[in-house]
Amino acid sequence: AKRLVQAFGKEVFDIIEAAPERLREVGGIGPLRAAKIIAGWADQKAVREIMVFLHDHGVGTARAVRIYKTYGREAVEVMTENPYRLAKDIRGIGFRTADIIAMKLGIEPTAMVRVRAGIAYALTEAMGDGHCGLPVAELKALAGKLLEVPDALVDTALELEVADGTVIADRVGETPCLFLAGLWHAERGIAERLRRVASGSPPWPVIDAERALPWIEGKTGLALAPSQAEAVRLALQSKVLVITGGPGVGKTTLVNAILRILGAKGVRLLLCAPTGRAAKRMTEATGLEARTIHRLLEFDPKAFGFKRGEENPLDCDLLVVDESSMVDVPL
């Protein structure tokens, strides 16, 4: 670079752009290095053009970098054809942001590309209220309100989204509903995994509950209620158990009893909860280390995934997940 500047001064960029064959005039630059310089310049020029385009249409530098990293040289083409892809492909860019960019690109509010993207947006908004899907009539009303477009356009967009498999049509009882494909598959996956995990025998030898119950009451100095004793019996012979109830009904006492009994039998235990605060409470209540789900599954921010999974399972016989109703469907 220093030799290039010495040879051509301020005109160096014009030389690379308009007369790249002159690079060979500089000592030490052969055909291979000249080709590398020209290719690198072309890449940088493409990046500059894309950044200028994005800035001209209201995209800040941080988002522009993420857009370029996602689409490369196709960034301008993608955004011109369908800026709503940004909401689907890039974390941190939602429908509202994509919609603002689309308006600056001159896309009409009634354009089908916008209404179709708005279907996913409406379902995503419903997710915030805990829904995995919505009845068809409710979704149509919500989409029409959010997008401010006629019902006929929403109907057409829904048909196209279902045909493409982006949205799944199903029934809940007798009610026709629509789901985002990812959530629909996730729910079916949860049901299938629960069926699979629940079958078979627990990974510990048979434990005599009638001997274990007096033992744990003696160890803790607490008398278990009949429902708690029945839950302990069920836990000792089940592969999956859900313990539910409001505050103060004895869930923590029950979990502690199960952990103490199984721990005495050498069962490998792991405890987790969705949040750091819940994990800390669990540690204090049980005396055993509890971690967040993400820490337990060894979340890798670079790969944006977990190191633990079917290929690399957790080292435990019993996994206790506290506050599991707080865990969302994809997780």
Side-chain angles (χ1 to χ4, degrees):
K2 188 175 181 180
R3 291 201 300 274
L4 284 168
V5 173
Q6 287 173 343
F8 302 119
K10 292 181 180 180
E11 296 179 8
V12 63
F13 297 125
D14 294 330
I15 296 292
I16 298 171
E17 181 78 32
E21 67 280 356
R22 289 193 59 195
L23 295 175
R24 301 284 300 280
E25 296 173 12
V26 179
I29 296 182
L32 289 177
R33 180 162 291 184
K36 199 172 181 180
I37 292 169
I38 294 163
W41 176 255
D43 285 341
Q44 290 304 313
K45 184 183 177 186
V47 172
R48 278 202 316 279
E49 288 173 352
I50 289 165
M51 289 304 208
V52 169
F53 175 86
L54 294 174
H55 285 149
D56 286 347
H57 292 89
V59 181
T61 302
R63 281 185 176 141
V65 170
R66 290 214 303 279
I67 291 169
Y68 177 74
K69 283 184 177 178
T70 302
Y71 302 120
R73 292 192 179 193
E74 296 177 2
V76 173
E77 183 183 347
V78 167
M79 287 190 58
T80 305
E81 289 182 0
N82 183 5
Y84 295 98
R85 276 186 60 183
L86 301 177
K88 186 163 53 174
D89 297 341
I90 303 174
R91 289 186 65 82
I93 296 183
F95 176 85
R96 289 291 189 198
T97 302
D99 204 28
I100 291 168
I101 295 169
M103 295 301 125
K104 290 187 177 181
L105 285 165
I107 291 177
E108 293 293 326
T110 55
M112 188 50 60
V113 69
R114 176 176 185 265
V115 184
R116 289 185 66 175
I119 300 299
Y121 171 55
L123 284 169
T124 303
E125 288 290 288
M127 270 175 62
D129 295 325
H131 301 297
C132 288
L134 284 177
V136 173
E138 200 174 319
L139 175 58
K140 287 181 180 179
L142 178 60
K145 180 182 174 184
L146 290 171
L147 300 170
E148 298 179 340
V149 296
D151 293 345
L153 282 177
V154 175
D155 290 342
T156 303
L158 280 172
E159 290 172 8
L160 292 170
E161 289 295 286
V162 170
D164 277 359
T166 310
V167 171
I168 303 289
D170 203 345
R171 285 183 174 273
V172 177
E174 295 301 314
T175 306
C177 296
L178 290 164
F179 298 79
L180 286 174
L183 286 179
W184 185 82
H185 287 295
E187 282 213 300
R188 290 178 69 86
I190 290 168
E192 182 54 42
R193 283 166 184 259
L194 274 172
R195 275 195 293 267
R196 190 181 72 209
V197 172
S199 64
S201 303
W204 51 78
V206 174
I207 297 171
D208 185 351
E210 302 315 313
R211 293 178 61 187
L213 285 165
W215 178 84
I216 193 61
E217 288 180 334
K219 286 285 185 183
T220 60
L222 297 171
L224 296 176
S227 61
Q228 289 177 316
E230 182 56 34
V232 170
R233 289 189 187 94
L234 198 57
L236 297 180
Q237 63 188 23
S238 304
K239 286 192 71 183
V240 176
L241 184 73
V242 177
I243 299 171
T244 185
V249 300
K251 296 190 299 294
T252 302
T253 300
L254 173 55
V255 170
N256 269 327
I258 294 166
L259 291 172
R260 292 280 294 274
I261 292 169
L262 291 176
K265 295 291 184 180
V267 173
R268 297 174 302 162
L269 308 169
L270 281 178
L271 286 66
C272 66
T275 65
R277 181 176 293 180
K280 185 180 178 183
R281 280 201 310 266
M282 199 179 189
T283 298
E284 292 168 352
T286 63
L288 300 171
E289 183 194 11
R291 287 174 273 180
T292 63
I293 293 172
H294 284 73
R295 189 171 158 223
L296 183 75
L297 297 180
E298 299 176 26
F299 179 71
D300 181 355
K302 288 184 179 177
F304 212 82
F306 298 105
K307 293 180 181 177
R308 292 289 185 169
E310 287 184 329
E311 301 298 320
N312 182 28
L314 295 169
D315 299 320
C316 69
D317 302 309
L318 176 71
L319 174 66
V320 180
V321 186
D322 196 22
E323 302 282 5
S324 60
S325 60
M326 292 171 58
V327 183
D328 69 6
V329 168
L331 181 58

